[in-house]
Amino acid sequence: MRIERFSSKEELYTRAVAIIMEAKNNGAITFGLATGGTMEPLYAKICKTDIDFSHCMSFNLDEYVGLEATHKQSYAYYMNKHLLNQKPFLASYLPDGLAVDPLVETARYEGLLQQYPLDFQLLGIGQNGHIGFNEPGTSFASLTHLVTLEESTRQANARFFSSIDEVPTQAYTMGIQSIMRAKCILLLAVGEAKCEVLERLLASDYTEDVPATALSKHPNVMVLTDLQEEENKL
Ligand code: F6R
């Protein structure tokens, strides 16, 4: 896991865009995408470039259960708003939050991921160490599955809803194994709220208690952060 630290968010996002462009120029076709506050400035910056994804495919990490794609807090809506309307891909996929049968839906989505192996995966990180919606304790062997969200995750995401009661309790997510199959992974840990979890990620051994530590066994992971090492803090 290579880590690059930046003194400003601006530099960090500029670097992230450059990494994505380089991956694409080197032939990446299939992109695993993330949502959340961390990704908004990244997508805004990408939209200002002339990058063309029209021959690429995108696969989102996760989607809330129970929200239709037109719901403003669904990840389908988020992706259209922040990236896909401006930068369309040849095809874009997310789990279907309204799927009738979770087992059929998770098998369908995992099947797509196996049919189109990911060249590049973008990740944020939750304060509890989750990647996608793989909460602490998730098996590192997990494939796409249905999860019950931790209360802390629902609280962290409540800022996007009018009240916590509206935050769905379940979601579909790529599993840790699904994520680990990507050829190249870029994780962004941005903002003070991620300080503790980043330290835990860098200090912890490979443990399912901190899902992001699975990445320590991946050969090509880059972490970008605007957080400084403890000893360098003023
Ligand atoms: C979202 C996702 C999550 C987020 C994480 C951080 O698709 O997969 O793992 O990356 O919850 O969210 P923010 O960026 O809002 O802090």
Side-chain angles (χ1 to χ4, degrees):
M1 203 149 51
R2 286 166 292 155
I3 178 156
E4 291 185 17
R5 296 182 190 263
F6 297 85
S7 48
S8 76
K9 293 188 175 46
E10 177 59 27
E11 286 171 80
L12 182 153
Y13 285 112
T14 300
R15 174 76 175 128
V17 172
I19 290 171
I20 291 167
M21 286 180 127
E22 192 187 331
K24 199 182 150 280
N25 291 339
N26 288 338
I29 296 282
T30 47
F31 287 82
L33 300 178
T35 62
T38 308
M39 299 303 155
E40 288 184 24
L42 174 66
Y43 294 147
K45 232 180 205 317
I46 288 177
C47 290
K48 288 192 189 136
T49 68
D50 59 3
I51 193 165
D52 176 11
F53 289 116
S54 61
H55 64 288
C56 298
M57 299 170 86
S58 72
F59 298 85
N60 264 80
L61 280 165
D62 40 19
E63 178 61 287
Y64 287 120
V65 167
L67 301 190
E68 60 270 34
T70 52
H71 189 290
K72 287 195 168 161
Q73 301 312 332
S74 74
Y75 287 168
Y77 186 95
Y78 172 109
M79 289 311 299
N80 288 333
K81 178 177 171 194
H82 293 288
L83 184 68
L84 303 176
N85 287 344
Q86 298 89 319
K87 293 285 178 193
F89 284 61
L90 180 63
S92 287
Y93 299 95
L94 292 99
D96 176 2
L98 291 188
V100 179
D101 183 336
L103 283 182
V104 172
E105 179 54 13
T106 50
R108 178 192 75 87
Y109 203 68
E110 187 61 32
L112 277 172
L113 294 170
Q114 298 197 9
Q115 188 179 351
Y116 302 106
L118 294 174
D119 295 318
F120 188 93
Q121 177 68 57
L122 188 58
L123 293 177
I125 184 167
Q127 289 174 39
N128 61 5
H130 72 221
I131 48 175
F133 271 136
N134 293 287
E135 301 285 28
T138 304
S139 164
F140 281 171
S142 55
L143 301 175
T144 302
H145 61 288
L146 177 71
V147 286
T148 296
L149 300 175
E150 280 204 353
E151 208 40 42
S152 62
T153 298
R154 291 185 67 239
Q155 269 161 19
N157 290 359
R159 67 192 195 277
F160 299 114
F161 293 80
S162 13
S163 87
I164 179 121
D165 300 332
E166 288 179 19
V167 184
T169 53
Q170 290 185 309
Y172 291 114
T173 183
M174 286 187 200
I176 300 283
Q177 197 187 126
S178 332
I179 293 170
M180 290 288 283
R181 283 196 309 260
K183 282 192 202 129
C184 165
I185 297 178
L186 174 63
L187 183 144
L188 307 184
V190 184
E192 276 303 315
K194 302 298 165 67
C195 195
E196 201 181 315
V197 73
L198 182 67
E199 295 302 323
R200 273 182 83 199
L201 169 61
L202 299 177
S204 302
D205 294 328
Y206 182 73
T207 167
E208 289 176 352
D209 293 342
V210 185
T213 61
L215 302 174
S216 62
K217 295 252 196 272
H218 191 285
N220 193 3
V221 178
M222 191 173 287
V223 177
L224 305 189
T225 184
D226 62 335
L227 299 161
Q228 304 311 311
E229 279 179 276
E230 281 300 311
E231 62 263 30
N232 293 342
K233 281 192 178 163
L234 295 177

